[in-house]
Amino acid sequence: MSMHAAPPPSPAQSAVATGSQDAAESVIAALRTVYDPEIPVNVYDLGLVYRIAHEGGGAVEIDMTLTAPGCPVASEIVRMVENAVQAVDGVASVKVTLVFEPPWDKSRMSEETALELGLL
């Protein structure tokens, strides 16, 4: 019997938020203002955000990836995410960690985004 990995979760499933629903929605709304410079889609709906954790004292931790590990604007995207989330009411600090496992692929995008880009 062979075992197959489950398909990757959608952005909404993969962004695990602890804390209040309003705080989580505010952070997600902020993430949706940050666009990948090479693809006209925000980093959240593109599926680049793997985890959002609301820690005590207004600290937010985000694990995210890039569409390609060698992305020349990686530090710029991280800075844009940090700045956008830092502007959310109640957020005292933001830590963004770039991760590359699992690797990003187009299946991580929201269905709306895939449709908008003509991939469905």
Side-chain angles (χ1 to χ4, degrees):
M1 177 166 111
S2 65
M3 296 180 69
H4 297 282
S10 70
Q13 294 168 324
S14 62
V16 176
T18 55
S20 79
Q21 185 65 30
D22 289 342
E25 289 174 8
S26 295
V27 169
I28 290 169
L31 290 169
R32 283 187 164 135
T33 68
V34 179
Y35 282 75
D36 184 296
E38 297 177 332
I39 304 170
V41 177
N42 69 73
V43 296
Y44 186 79
D45 290 328
L46 195 54
L48 299 179
V49 176
Y50 287 177
R51 182 182 72 94
I52 302 168
H54 297 267
E55 305 296 332
V60 175
E61 293 182 2
I62 297 172
D63 290 349
M64 66 175 291
T65 196
L66 304 168
T67 55
C71 178
V73 293
S75 61
E76 182 181 337
I77 292 174
V78 168
R79 187 174 59 252
M80 291 186 305
V81 166
E82 288 171 341
N83 291 341
V85 175
Q86 185 69 53
V88 172
D89 285 342
V91 172
S93 66
V94 180
K95 178 183 176 192
V96 177
T97 303
L98 280 179
V99 297
F100 295 99
E101 290 297 325
W104 180 87
D105 66 47
K106 66 182 181 178
S107 70
R108 299 195 69 82
M109 294 182 206
S110 70
E111 191 172 310
E112 296 82 16
T113 298
L115 187 61
E116 180 181 321
L117 294 174
L119 299 173
L120 284 183

